[in-house]
Amino acid sequence: MGQNDLMGTAEDFADQFLRVTKQYLPHVARLCLISTFLEDGIRMWFQWSEQRDYIDTTWSCGYLLASSFVFLNLLGQLTGCVLVLSRNFVQYACFGLFGIIALQTIAYSILWDLKFLMRNLALGGGLLLLLAESRSEGKSMFAGVPTMRESSPKQYMQLGGRVLLVLMFMTLLHLDTSFFSIIQNIVGTALMILVAIGFKTKLAALTLVVWLFAINVYFNAFWTIPVYKPMHDFLKYDFFQTMSVIGGLLLVVALGPGGVSMDEKKKEW
């Protein structure tokens, strides 16, 4: 079997998968995407005093401001999750969750930790794709064919979302010289580039979903660590943040790459 035959078979499989899962894939994608916000909002409730004391100690802002920060995180994230899952005011929910990401990036000094910053940007990429999907749904309720001017913001949101999602995989690259790591880096980088430029996008994104899910379950198995150990919370945070990026990639699979992509340009050639 030649390379083209192999690629064709893989694409046929991806198309078949999409046909079978078409009805519920966007719902699964949204649930995965908001999972990190849901987990973090619940964490704020159960770790209220620890979170408040951390913010108070770090910023010396006082009991009241620190409590307000925790409350805002809890309310903002859980409200955003409910709105996204119920498909009500999705755009406002996305803007609110963008605000939470920005607030946490500053409050927890993520700005100076490159790995966590890139993961937060990847999370923002997933929200951009969700925002693009909600704009698409809003326009579909009106009759008439949308003009290029109307569709451009959505297309560039999808492009931005794809590029930001790629940042997640850059944090997973291994710098050692073992054979397995080199192969993993080469394959992972190739898939990242395909998703970013929008070439064979659905197949590349679906492959990344499977690969990232396997890595997530293997490396972030927080359920194997006792709850009282700090590593449990750390792995749990990593696990759900990775699930959110998987949700973003599933949206790419479900909706396609958008207008600013090589897949779309090929249709014009």
Side-chain angles (χ1 to χ4, degrees):
M1 184 180 284
Q3 189 176 356
N4 289 339
D5 293 335
L6 193 64
M7 182 64 75
T9 303
E11 286 184 317
D12 289 342
F13 173 78
D15 288 338
Q16 181 63 29
F17 174 82
L18 274 174
R19 277 193 291 273
V20 172
T21 61
K22 187 178 179 181
Q23 296 300 319
Y24 50 88
L25 189 61
H27 301 288
V28 174
R30 276 191 294 273
L31 180 61
C32 289
L33 209 156
I34 58 97
S35 63
T36 191
F37 299 107
L38 190 60
E39 188 275 331
D40 200 48
I42 294 170
R43 184 203 299 254
M44 291 291 163
W45 174 262
F46 287 104
Q47 296 184 359
W48 181 285
S49 56
E50 293 98 318
Q51 297 291 336
R52 181 199 61 215
D53 293 345
Y54 173 82
I55 293 297
D56 187 16
T57 304
T58 304
W59 294 96
S60 303
C61 57
Y63 181 91
L64 186 61
L65 272 176
S67 297
S68 300
F69 170 84
V70 177
F71 179 72
L72 182 63
N73 265 277
L74 186 153
L75 187 67
Q77 291 184 103
L78 294 184
T79 302
C81 290
V82 169
L83 291 177
V84 167
L85 289 177
S86 64
R87 305 181 87 158
N88 292 310
F89 306 105
V90 175
Q91 295 189 35
Y92 296 110
C94 287
F95 290 135
L97 293 173
F98 275 126
I100 295 291
I101 291 175
L103 188 65
Q104 289 189 352
T105 299
I106 295 167
Y108 292 107
S109 303
I110 291 171
L111 207 56
W112 316 119
D113 187 321
L114 188 60
K115 180 181 174 181
F116 280 105
L117 178 62
M118 288 168 80
R119 290 193 172 195
N120 264 16
L121 287 172
L123 199 54
L127 286 176
L128 259 184
L129 291 167
L130 189 59
L131 195 57
E133 185 209 21
S134 70
R135 287 177 67 95
S136 174
E137 285 179 349
K139 291 198 185 304
S140 67
M141 292 191 296
F142 299 98
V145 179
T147 64
M148 183 62 74
R149 184 180 294 274
E150 287 175 327
S151 58
S152 284
K154 179 197 164 192
Q155 291 175 1
Y156 287 110
M157 279 180 200
Q158 287 177 286
L159 172 64
R162 292 199 318 270
V163 171
L164 287 174
L165 282 178
V166 162
L167 295 177
M168 179 72 183
F169 297 93
M170 292 175 69
T171 68
L172 298 173
L173 296 177
H174 298 281
L175 299 179
D176 59 75
T177 54
S178 69
F179 177 75
F180 179 73
S181 291
I182 291 170
I183 294 297
Q184 188 176 330
N185 288 348
I186 290 170
V187 174
T189 303
L191 290 170
M192 285 190 288
I193 292 169
L194 289 176
V195 170
I197 65 175
F199 183 68
K200 307 283 186 188
T201 318
K202 291 185 178 183
L203 178 60
L206 192 57
T207 308
L208 279 175
V209 164
V210 174
W211 182 45
L212 190 54
F213 183 75
I215 288 174
N216 198 26
V217 170
Y218 183 76
F219 287 108
N220 296 324
F222 65 90
W223 51 88
T224 62
I225 309 290
V227 177
Y228 59 85
K229 291 192 175 182
M231 184 56 75
H232 176 90
D233 271 355
F234 179 77
L235 290 179
K236 193 177 182 182
Y237 174 81
D238 252 19
F239 179 87
F240 283 104
Q241 198 164 45
T242 307
M243 286 304 296
S244 287
V245 176
I246 287 173
L249 284 166
L250 284 174
L251 274 182
V252 173
V253 174
L255 303 174
V260 187
S261 65
M262 287 188 69
D263 284 347
E264 198 66 27
K265 296 300 176 192
K266 275 198 307 180
K267 295 176 185 176
E268 300 172 8
W269 294 342

